[in-house]
Amino acid sequence: MERTLILAKPDAVQRGLVGELIGRLERRGLRIAGLKFMRVSRATAEEHYKEHSAKPFFAGLVEYITACPIVALAMEGPNAVDIARATIGATNPANATPGSIRGDLAVSIGRNLIHGSDSLASAKRELDLFFGIDELFDYQRSAEPWIFES
Ligand code: DAT
Ligand code: MG
């Protein structure tokens, strides 16, 4: 079982596509472990995207992600990191396979709708940045008949 950080970015909120994005990930089989509608601070944006800090698009990326509220999600399931990345599609929507979120719903690399962590290590780092432990639901500790075997 893995958890990954998903962000429905400002363009997803502005275009009214948040439900569509979450719905696609849920229908794929991932479940929501945390969710919040929030404004990303400049400090959080810079930390989240620090691997890109030397790139020419970094300033624009930070402006974009802090421009209006986003929806942050922790999604979980078996191989959640890779499953989410495949469902999201390639970084540049021009190269994203039709059927993927970016391949169906986006045209521009600078407005590509959604973030998904690129590795388990990134997921842990990014989830810590966006969620407190008390904001994530622990399905294993629940008595409900959840869909994944333990
Ligand atoms: P991903 O979001 O698929 O993990 P990434 O980590 O390489 O992609 O880059 C983070 C974001 O930065 C990406 O979603 C959009 C933006 N970005 C990446 N490369 C870019 C480029 N060449 N020009 C403009 N924006 C870019
Ligand atoms: Mg990335």
Side-chain angles (χ1 to χ4, degrees):
M1 189 67 71
E2 294 180 3
R3 279 180 178 160
T4 189
L5 178 75
I6 301 296
L7 303 177
K9 295 179 181 178
D11 51 330
V13 173
Q14 291 194 359
R15 291 174 59 193
L17 290 173
V18 174
E20 170 79 23
L21 304 190
I22 297 174
R24 284 179 177 230
L25 292 165
E26 284 194 309
R27 290 200 300 278
R28 183 73 197 265
L30 301 181
R31 67 190 177 195
I32 297 170
L35 187 158
K36 58 174 125 174
F37 182 69
M38 61 178 285
R39 193 82 181 260
V40 182
S41 70
R42 177 164 290 271
T44 297
E46 289 176 350
E47 177 63 26
H48 175 68
Y49 281 127
K50 68 179 179 186
E51 67 173 302
H52 301 301
S53 60
K55 309 259 176 68
F57 58 82
F58 183 69
L61 181 59
V62 170
E63 287 301 316
Y64 159 52
I65 204 75
T66 58
C68 90
I70 58 132
V71 175
L73 295 120
M75 306 256 354
E76 71 176 26
N79 302 304
V81 170
D82 287 345
I83 295 271
R85 292 283 291 191
T87 302
I88 288 167
T91 302
N92 188 341
N95 304 325
T97 311
S100 67
I101 289 170
R102 288 167 175 164
D104 286 348
L105 301 172
V107 293
S108 171
I109 193 169
R111 297 288 184 271
N112 62 4
L113 285 175
I114 183 166
H115 169 83
S117 307
D118 65 5
S119 69
L120 206 46
S122 296
K124 287 194 195 329
R125 184 183 82 84
E126 294 171 359
L127 284 165
D128 275 354
L129 200 52
F130 281 85
F131 289 97
I133 191 66
D134 58 333
E135 294 177 312
L136 300 176
F137 183 71
D138 187 346
Y139 287 82
Q140 314 296 338
R141 289 194 170 190
S142 157
E144 298 295 322
W146 303 108
I147 60 169
F148 301 131
E149 303 145 79
S150 52

mmCIF file of all heavy atoms in Angstrom, residues 14 31 33 40 42 45-46 100 103 109 115 122 128 133 150:
data_model
loop_
_atom_site.group_PDB
_atom_site.id
_atom_site.type_symbol
_atom_site.label_atom_id
_atom_site.label_comp_id
_atom_site.label_asym_id
_atom_site.label_seq_id
_atom_site.Cartn_x
_atom_site.Cartn_y
_atom_site.Cartn_z
ATOM 1 N N GLN A 14 -10.062 26.565 -11.584
ATOM 2 C CA GLN A 14 -10.695 27.602 -12.400
ATOM 3 C C GLN A 14 -11.548 27.016 -13.524
ATOM 4 O O GLN A 14 -12.574 27.584 -13.885
ATOM 5 C CB GLN A 14 -9.624 28.529 -12.980
ATOM 6 C CG GLN A 14 -8.960 29.379 -11.899
ATOM 7 C CD GLN A 14 -8.147 30.539 -12.469
ATOM 8 O OE1 GLN A 14 -8.051 30.712 -13.683
ATOM 9 N NE2 GLN A 14 -7.572 31.320 -11.579
ATOM 10 N N ARG A 31 -8.013 5.424 -3.435
ATOM 11 C CA ARG A 31 -8.980 6.012 -2.510
ATOM 12 C C ARG A 31 -8.389 7.236 -1.824
ATOM 13 O O ARG A 31 -7.172 7.371 -1.700
ATOM 14 C CB ARG A 31 -9.445 4.979 -1.484
ATOM 15 C CG ARG A 31 -8.361 4.537 -0.544
ATOM 16 C CD ARG A 31 -8.820 3.336 0.294
ATOM 17 N NE ARG A 31 -7.744 2.858 1.153
ATOM 18 C CZ ARG A 31 -7.746 1.685 1.772
ATOM 19 N NH1 ARG A 31 -8.760 0.857 1.621
ATOM 20 N NH2 ARG A 31 -6.737 1.319 2.544
ATOM 21 N N ALA A 33 -7.284 9.546 1.075
ATOM 22 C CA ALA A 33 -6.858 9.441 2.473
ATOM 23 C C ALA A 33 -6.761 10.825 3.115
ATOM 24 O O ALA A 33 -6.678 10.948 4.334
ATOM 25 C CB ALA A 33 -5.513 8.729 2.573
ATOM 26 N N VAL A 40 -1.740 27.746 -1.705
ATOM 27 C CA VAL A 40 -0.348 27.344 -1.481
ATOM 28 C C VAL A 40 0.479 28.606 -1.234
ATOM 29 O O VAL A 40 0.436 29.545 -2.037
ATOM 30 C CB VAL A 40 0.219 26.586 -2.692
ATOM 31 C CG1 VAL A 40 1.651 26.141 -2.433
ATOM 32 C CG2 VAL A 40 -0.653 25.375 -3.024
ATOM 33 N N ARG A 42 3.931 30.887 -0.946
ATOM 34 C CA ARG A 42 5.146 30.938 -1.778
ATOM 35 C C ARG A 42 6.219 30.005 -1.208
ATOM 36 O O ARG A 42 6.884 29.287 -1.954
ATOM 37 C CB ARG A 42 5.652 32.391 -1.823
ATOM 38 C CG ARG A 42 6.941 32.590 -2.590
ATOM 39 C CD ARG A 42 7.149 34.061 -2.923
ATOM 40 N NE ARG A 42 6.188 34.502 -3.917
ATOM 41 C CZ ARG A 42 6.376 34.433 -5.236
ATOM 42 N NH1 ARG A 42 7.498 33.941 -5.705
ATOM 43 N NH2 ARG A 42 5.459 34.848 -6.073
ATOM 44 N N ALA A 45 5.337 26.436 -2.039
ATOM 45 C CA ALA A 45 5.523 26.218 -3.481
ATOM 46 C C ALA A 45 6.999 26.048 -3.812
ATOM 47 O O ALA A 45 7.386 25.138 -4.559
ATOM 48 C CB ALA A 45 4.932 27.384 -4.265
ATOM 49 N N GLU A 46 7.837 26.918 -3.241
ATOM 50 C CA GLU A 46 9.278 26.847 -3.528
ATOM 51 C C GLU A 46 9.886 25.566 -2.978
ATOM 52 O O GLU A 46 10.750 24.956 -3.610
ATOM 53 C CB GLU A 46 9.982 28.093 -2.976
ATOM 54 C CG GLU A 46 9.624 29.339 -3.783
ATOM 55 C CD GLU A 46 10.229 30.616 -3.218
ATOM 56 O OE1 GLU A 46 10.780 30.579 -2.102
ATOM 57 O OE2 GLU A 46 10.127 31.660 -3.908
ATOM 58 N N SER A 100 -5.287 9.621 -20.886
ATOM 59 C CA SER A 100 -4.742 10.129 -19.615
ATOM 60 C C SER A 100 -5.378 11.487 -19.319
ATOM 61 O O SER A 100 -5.972 12.115 -20.211
ATOM 62 C CB SER A 100 -3.220 10.252 -19.693
ATOM 63 O OG SER A 100 -2.839 11.264 -20.619
ATOM 64 N N GLY A 103 -3.650 14.086 -21.318
ATOM 65 C CA GLY A 103 -3.873 13.776 -22.734
ATOM 66 C C GLY A 103 -5.288 14.087 -23.195
ATOM 67 O O GLY A 103 -5.521 14.305 -24.385
ATOM 68 N N ILE A 109 2.106 22.793 -21.210
ATOM 69 C CA ILE A 109 2.958 22.273 -20.124
ATOM 70 C C ILE A 109 2.888 23.166 -18.896
ATOM 71 O O ILE A 109 2.995 22.691 -17.766
ATOM 72 C CB ILE A 109 4.421 22.080 -20.604
ATOM 73 C CG1 ILE A 109 5.218 21.251 -19.587
ATOM 74 C CG2 ILE A 109 5.095 23.415 -20.890
ATOM 75 C CD1 ILE A 109 6.568 20.786 -20.097
ATOM 76 N N HIS A 115 -0.819 17.622 -10.336
ATOM 77 C CA HIS A 115 0.481 17.116 -9.890
ATOM 78 C C HIS A 115 0.315 15.730 -9.287
ATOM 79 O O HIS A 115 -0.665 15.473 -8.585
ATOM 80 C CB HIS A 115 1.074 18.036 -8.818
ATOM 81 C CG HIS A 115 2.268 17.442 -8.119
ATOM 82 N ND1 HIS A 115 3.535 17.518 -8.653
ATOM 83 C CD2 HIS A 115 2.382 16.719 -6.964
ATOM 84 C CE1 HIS A 115 4.385 16.878 -7.839
ATOM 85 N NE2 HIS A 115 3.701 16.390 -6.809
ATOM 86 N N SER A 122 9.600 10.961 -3.013
ATOM 87 C CA SER A 122 8.969 12.271 -3.262
ATOM 88 C C SER A 122 7.603 12.342 -2.598
ATOM 89 O O SER A 122 7.222 13.373 -2.038
ATOM 90 C CB SER A 122 8.783 12.507 -4.760
ATOM 91 O OG SER A 122 10.007 12.567 -5.429
ATOM 92 N N ASP A 128 4.241 15.201 3.573
ATOM 93 C CA ASP A 128 4.607 15.879 4.819
ATOM 94 C C ASP A 128 4.473 17.393 4.690
ATOM 95 O O ASP A 128 4.159 18.088 5.655
ATOM 96 C CB ASP A 128 6.064 15.556 5.196
ATOM 97 C CG ASP A 128 6.164 14.248 5.959
ATOM 98 O OD1 ASP A 128 5.106 13.669 6.272
ATOM 99 O OD2 ASP A 128 7.293 13.807 6.214
ATOM 100 N N ILE A 133 -0.230 14.613 10.057
ATOM 101 C CA ILE A 133 -0.591 13.204 10.197
ATOM 102 C C ILE A 133 -2.056 13.053 10.625
ATOM 103 O O ILE A 133 -2.742 12.105 10.237
ATOM 104 C CB ILE A 133 0.372 12.467 11.170
ATOM 105 C CG1 ILE A 133 0.157 10.947 11.114
ATOM 106 C CG2 ILE A 133 0.264 12.993 12.581
ATOM 107 C CD1 ILE A 133 0.518 10.324 9.793
ATOM 108 N N SER A 150 -5.856 -6.453 3.446
ATOM 109 C CA SER A 150 -4.736 -5.949 4.248
ATOM 110 C C SER A 150 -3.548 -6.888 4.142
ATOM 111 O O SER A 150 -3.634 -7.950 3.590
ATOM 112 C CB SER A 150 -5.155 -5.779 5.697
ATOM 113 O OG SER A 150 -5.731 -6.962 6.151
#
